[in-house]
Amino acid sequence: MGGVLFLCICFYASIYFGFWGKLPTKEELSSLKQAEATQVLDKDGHLIGKYYIYDRQPITYEDLPQHLIDALVATEDVRFYEHDGVDNTSLLRVFFKTILLRDKSSGGGSTITLQLAKNLFGRKKYQMFSTVINKLKESFIAKRIEDIYSKKEILTLYFNTVPFPDNTYGIESASQKFFNKPTHQLTISEATTLIGTLKANHSYNPRLFPERSQLRRDVVLKQMLKYEYISSNRADQVMNKPIVLDYQYFNHDLGLAPYFRSAVKKELTKILEKHKKPDSSVYDIYNDGLIIHTTLDYKMQSLAEEAMKEHMKTLQKDYETSYGSTAPWKNNKDLIKNSIKNLDIYKKFKEQGFTDTQIEDSLSVKKDIELFEWQGNITKKISSLDSLQHYLKFLNAGMIAIEPSSGAVKAYLGGIDYRYFKFDHVSQSKRQVGSTFKPFVYTTAIENGMKPCSYFSTKEITYTNLNDWTPKNASEEEDPHLNFTLEKALSNSVNTIAVKVLNEIGIPKVIDQVRKLGITDSLSKNPAMALGTDGIKIKELAGAYTSYVNQGKGVKPYYISKIEDKNGNLIASFEPEIMETPAYSDYTRQVLLEMMKSTVDKGTATRLRTVYKLENDIAGKTGTTQDNKDGWFVGITPNLVSVTWVGNDNYNIGFKTTALGQGANTALPIFAKLYQKMNLDPTFDPITKSKFEETSEEVLNDLDCKPEKRDNILKRLFGKKKKKKKFKKEG
């Protein structure tokens, strides 16, 4: 018997002196450091996302509601306030029954402090002795923790480190994830639900197993009742109601604004390369618990996502119906073959020396694959080739809404679903902008002295020095003897006149004007630029358009307003980047704004008034590119400028018809639906009820002319032949 006791004492001492792994010292325990998630907040401090390895978001003791603490103590450690970190009776029971009797049902004998020790330092495997060694190590650590920290501090440490379901660490992260609220706002039902999950994270996950979770919640409530932390009536009231979740996805692919969060992360990485910690080490966005304040408006973003999904679901259906059995993603073999060659897996196989036939065989193997569908995702047993064809059919979208006075991004839609379409159409895509480029041509013309009431013929012209290029209008039924003012030409998006205006003022002046507005993307320097054949990023286009309601000054859209460390100390702050001087005169600005008001009231964007019944002060411009590949709409209101794009990611697939593919039908409705929703919420009154400033009498007088006139009788008789001329050389 003495020998057994001696061996137990030696075994105990071996753990204490670190034979099975070094125990943390009191000094080390006094400066505990835990990996903390970086928080991404909207303009009002609302949590919109996180960057983390372990989803942990610390809070203070004052943030813990009393019923949450009571639920924990009643369920996990009723003698918490009496012991010194270890319940000796329970620990001895575990030690002797587990080792001597090999009884796995001996119980845990755990306390809150012991659990904290486990949360902080984890457990290692020691073969058959794992349980007892880990338990004893934790008991030593727990006693040291109790010597250093008060009970309140231990509870705070525990709540900040304890694991909850769905890879969530700490009560604040769990509260935000499962109930979309901070910890201090948790109700008794919500608090006891989360405490109930501590027994088994997965088994009692309220998202996955609501009924089982509710039964466990009720056990916690009964424990609170047993130890007189809650009245019988109150317990019954809570138990008679179901658990109501408001689950938030904070992982990278799900949740609100995933494209925005990805863009912020890229920007943040660049910024932190220039801003180091006080000790000159580099900040870690996954572990250092940074607080990122952004410009995003949580409510507006939510409504924008709703608007996009509502419209795109319907548009996708119309798009597929229009093609019917002739759909290119089903029948165009060259298209499918080229798409296969763009796959990463194809390139990988090629590098390994496989032939196209071998690669096709590999990609033809069927397996269960989850597929995106607007009606709800489905899982099918299909091949990678089938999956490729499935995704070729989808239209995508991009939208950015910014505050024109500063460039602060308020809403950001990089695509239709980040899980399946990672490409960001706001920051990465450069699609032809179509007729949304025309206002820059007209701006240059007015700024260089052209009168708003200048008339141009709508008639087609063949430019002999440009390989007989003949710009055409969208409608082939237009009267060739009509002459439009600049306002009529822009509001009705007349291609022939846009090219004629460009020819008169010259390409170099237009490029110079565009550069002054902040567009840095390369431009083609050919006459087709008047029709928007160049690719420009959505955010650059938006920044340029703000000039029409920002004193002629373009802005650079920005996402991050300031960065703080986990203690709230400022790391960096950012001011709006606005052009120092106006890109053009205020006269020009007012003229163009009036022209784009006409686009909404009388031109290509009238469905904002007729179909969507919007009465807001709105100016705008629609855009449609060649073969209906891209649909655009720029919406301008006094305090918000938005740019929306819709198209297929594969540039070889356009819309079947212009009626379906024009910007007024593809992109405009997203803007319209967003404003319909915003109009119903008084929060957005500063935007939705804002009014354009009064237009000067000079501008109104200069625009006061008949919008169109017909050629005289001689021109009508002798001007039937299509006109040919040379396009003016640059210079």
Side-chain angles (χ1 to χ4, degrees):
M1 188 69 181
V4 173
L5 181 61
F6 177 74
L7 286 174
C8 288
I9 292 171
C10 289
F11 183 68
Y12 186 87
S14 71
I15 296 171
Y16 183 83
F17 289 108
F19 180 80
W20 303 94
K22 182 178 176 291
L23 296 175
T25 65
K26 287 188 176 182
E27 290 73 22
E28 290 170 334
L29 288 170
S30 296
S31 56
L32 289 170
K33 288 184 178 180
Q34 286 290 304
E36 298 174 16
T38 287
Q39 302 172 54
V40 183
L41 310 179
D42 87 332
K43 68 180 184 67
D44 297 318
H46 195 293
L47 183 67
I48 58 175
K50 303 178 187 180
Y51 310 124
Y52 59 87
I53 295 173
Y54 298 109
D55 186 1
R56 182 181 286 117
Q57 191 175 330
I59 54 174
T60 65
Y61 182 82
E62 287 68 29
D63 295 314
L64 303 171
Q66 189 59 46
H67 53 257
L68 175 70
I69 296 171
D70 295 342
L72 175 69
V73 172
T75 309
E76 298 293 323
D77 187 0
V78 293
R79 296 195 306 114
F80 171 71
Y81 294 105
E82 300 164 20
H83 62 64
D84 63 352
V86 176
D87 186 332
N88 292 314
T89 303
S90 297
L91 189 63
L92 285 172
R93 183 186 72 242
V94 172
F95 182 76
F96 285 105
K97 282 192 174 182
T98 301
I99 289 183
L100 301 179
L101 303 178
R102 302 290 177 89
D103 182 2
K104 294 183 179 180
S105 65
S106 60
S110 187
T111 66
I112 288 174
T113 318
L114 283 167
Q115 290 180 44
L116 173 60
K118 182 178 70 173
N119 296 341
L120 290 172
F121 300 101
R123 285 182 168 178
K124 295 181 180 178
K125 292 183 177 180
Y126 302 100
Q127 297 180 344
M128 62 182 292
F129 298 109
S130 289
T131 300
V132 68
I133 291 173
N134 281 311
K135 287 281 187 182
L136 286 171
K137 286 180 72 175
E138 287 161 10
S139 71
F140 293 135
I141 297 171
K143 283 182 176 293
R144 291 178 184 180
I145 288 174
E146 291 271 352
D147 289 341
I148 298 168
Y149 296 102
S150 68
K151 291 292 185 180
K152 286 184 178 180
E153 289 170 331
I154 290 170
L155 284 170
T156 305
L157 280 169
Y158 179 88
F159 274 116
N160 280 330
T161 57
V162 65
F164 289 94
D166 290 346
N167 193 33
T168 310
Y169 289 78
I171 188 65
E172 180 69 3
S173 292
S175 179
Q176 294 282 2
K177 180 172 286 186
F178 287 93
F179 299 107
N180 193 22
K181 62 173 63 172
T183 303
H184 68 85
Q185 292 180 7
L186 286 173
T187 65
I188 293 179
S189 175
E190 294 162 349
T192 50
T193 297
L194 292 178
I195 294 300
T197 67
L198 299 180
K199 184 175 178 64
N201 288 168
H202 179 73
S203 298
Y204 294 114
N205 185 329
R207 176 179 65 86
L208 299 175
F209 312 108
E211 292 181 5
R212 191 187 301 166
S213 178
Q214 186 159 323
L215 289 173
R216 179 62 188 164
R217 177 204 67 179
D218 293 349
V219 169
V220 176
L221 286 164
K222 288 173 183 176
Q223 285 293 104
M224 293 180 72
L225 178 61
K226 177 180 178 181
Y227 293 105
E228 299 182 350
Y229 285 115
I230 190 173
S231 69
S232 177
N233 288 339
R234 187 73 181 106
D236 289 340
Q237 286 176 0
V238 178
M239 284 191 278
N240 287 330
K241 293 182 180 179
I243 297 170
V244 179
L245 298 182
D246 185 3
Y247 194 86
Q248 302 297 304
Y249 291 92
F250 290 122
N251 73 8
H252 194 59
D253 290 359
L254 297 168
L256 189 79
Y259 293 95
F260 177 79
R261 286 185 274 119
S262 179
V264 168
K265 181 182 168 186
K266 290 177 184 176
E267 190 77 16
L268 181 61
T269 303
K270 293 178 184 176
I271 293 169
L272 293 178
E273 288 176 357
K274 302 175 184 176
H275 295 81
K276 305 289 174 59
K277 294 181 183 179
D279 64 0
S280 297
S281 61
V282 179
Y283 284 104
D284 185 337
I285 64 172
Y286 295 106
N287 293 306
D288 284 344
L290 303 178
I291 304 167
I292 315 303
H293 297 265
T294 73
T295 61
L296 199 77
D297 185 312
Y298 185 96
K299 269 193 174 182
M300 190 186 299
Q301 177 71 23
S302 300
L303 297 180
E305 291 184 11
E306 284 178 18
M308 180 272 290
K309 290 172 183 175
E310 287 174 12
H311 172 62
M312 294 301 292
K313 184 176 181 179
T314 302
L315 184 64
Q316 182 68 38
K317 184 179 179 181
D318 294 342
Y319 177 65
E320 293 180 40
T321 301
S322 69
Y323 272 112
S325 60
T326 65
W329 52 86
K330 294 179 181 177
N331 303 298
N332 190 323
K333 292 182 179 178
D334 289 336
L335 172 69
I336 296 170
K337 187 179 292 185
N338 289 331
S339 298
I340 292 171
K341 290 180 179 178
N342 287 326
L343 293 174
D344 290 336
I345 188 66
Y346 174 88
K347 295 173 184 176
K348 186 177 179 180
F349 279 139
K350 265 297 182 185
E351 288 173 2
Q352 294 173 356
F354 289 94
T355 65
D356 282 353
T357 302
Q358 289 173 320
I359 295 173
E360 190 170 335
D361 287 342
S362 297
L363 296 179
S364 297
V365 177
K366 294 185 182 294
K367 54 188 175 181
D368 286 335
I369 299 177
E370 184 181 30
L371 299 171
F372 170 80
E373 285 285 5
W374 280 114
Q375 292 74 23
N377 293 356
I378 56 174
T379 299
K380 281 186 174 181
K381 201 172 193 65
I382 60 172
S383 68
S384 295
L385 292 179
D386 297 328
S387 177
L388 170 70
Q389 287 182 262
H390 174 79
Y391 284 108
L392 273 175
K393 73 181 181 182
F394 282 102
L395 296 169
N396 223 309
M399 179 186 187
I400 192 171
I402 64 177
E403 184 178 71
S405 61
S406 66
V409 174
K410 299 301 180 184
Y412 187 112
L413 307 176
I416 57 173
D417 192 311
Y418 191 77
R419 291 172 296 173
Y420 305 96
F421 306 91
K422 290 289 192 288
F423 191 73
D424 185 344
H425 294 92
V426 172
S427 295
Q428 294 177 282
S429 182
K430 278 185 173 183
R431 298 288 290 230
Q432 291 186 356
V433 294
S435 296
T436 60
F437 191 85
K438 289 175 183 174
F440 304 140
V441 175
Y442 288 81
T443 296
T444 310
I446 299 296
E447 187 67 6
N448 283 274
M450 190 176 289
K451 299 299 180 184
C453 279
S454 300
Y455 287 94
F456 284 84
S457 171
T458 61
K459 189 174 183 178
E460 293 175 1
I461 290 179
T462 297
Y463 295 96
T464 56
N465 60 337
L466 297 174
N467 296 319
D468 287 342
W469 177 54
T470 307
K472 298 181 179 295
N473 295 317
S475 173
E476 296 179 0
E477 300 176 2
E478 286 184 3
D479 187 339
H481 301 294
L482 278 179
N483 298 272
F484 289 171
T485 62
L486 297 186
E487 179 179 343
K488 175 85 172 182
L490 181 61
S491 63
N492 285 271
S493 209
V494 182
N495 291 338
T496 52
I497 295 180
V499 175
K500 290 171 185 176
V501 172
L502 177 68
N503 190 25
E504 188 160 321
I505 57 176
I507 292 173
K509 288 181 179 178
V510 173
I511 292 176
D512 182 56
Q513 184 67 72
V514 168
R515 297 295 182 227
K516 287 179 182 178
L517 289 168
I519 292 177
T520 59
D521 287 319
S522 60
L523 300 171
S524 57
K525 299 180 182 179
N526 67 54
M529 71 184 298
L531 308 182
T533 55
D534 290 306
I536 299 175
K537 289 179 182 175
I538 289 179
K539 63 179 184 179
E540 287 211 352
L541 193 63
Y545 262 95
T546 60
S547 63
Y548 297 110
V549 281
N550 188 39
Q551 302 174 325
K553 299 176 182 179
V555 299
K556 183 179 179 181
Y558 75 106
Y559 323 128
I560 302 173
S561 56
K562 65 178 178 179
I563 303 169
E564 296 172 334
D565 67 15
K566 64 181 180 182
N567 298 314
N569 299 312
L570 185 67
I571 295 173
S573 61
F574 306 92
E575 298 296 327
E577 291 186 39
I578 305 170
M579 307 304 161
E580 291 185 7
T581 56
Y584 45 77
S585 68
D586 199 57
Y587 172 86
T588 298
R589 184 187 67 80
Q590 290 188 49
V591 169
L592 263 294
L593 192 57
E594 286 298 315
M595 288 181 176
M596 287 187 282
K597 288 180 192 176
S598 292
T599 302
V600 172
D601 296 334
K602 299 178 283 186
T604 56
T606 52
R607 65 178 70 189
L608 286 174
R609 305 297 191 201
T610 59
V611 176
Y612 296 100
K613 309 298 181 185
L614 295 179
E615 297 179 358
N616 313 72
D617 271 22
I618 305 172
K621 186 70 191 79
T622 57
T624 311
T625 61
Q626 192 172 12
D627 297 326
N628 311 306
K629 300 289 180 63
D630 306 272
W632 293 86
F633 181 69
V634 179
I636 305 172
T637 59
N639 294 323
L640 194 73
V641 171
S642 64
V643 176
T644 309
W645 164 88
V646 171
N648 193 303
D649 279 338
N650 190 307
Y651 202 72
N652 294 303
I653 307 175
F655 285 85
K656 185 78 180 276
T657 65
T658 301
L660 187 63
Q662 62 182 308
N665 187 65
T666 59
L668 177 147
I670 297 176
F671 170 89
K673 286 177 176 289
L674 170 60
Y675 264 73
Q676 283 181 327
K677 295 174 186 294
M678 288 169 60
N679 283 338
L680 297 175
D681 189 339
T683 305
F684 298 109
D685 283 356
I687 294 173
T688 56
K689 293 186 177 180
S690 60
K691 301 293 181 183
F692 289 121
E693 81 279 21
E694 224 174 287
T695 307
S696 70
E697 283 192 29
E698 179 187 9
V699 169
L700 292 176
N701 289 335
D702 286 352
L703 286 165
D704 186 17
C705 50
K706 291 182 178 180
E708 61 184 63
K709 64 180 182 180
R710 287 176 61 78
D711 289 335
N712 59 38
I713 188 66
L714 292 176
K715 279 192 176 182
R716 292 202 297 273
L717 289 173
F718 300 105
K720 292 180 181 179
K721 190 176 180 181
K722 185 182 290 186
K723 191 172 181 180
K724 294 186 178 183
K725 65 182 293 186
K726 288 186 177 182
F727 195 91
K728 187 170 67 176
K729 291 182 180 180
E730 295 184 16

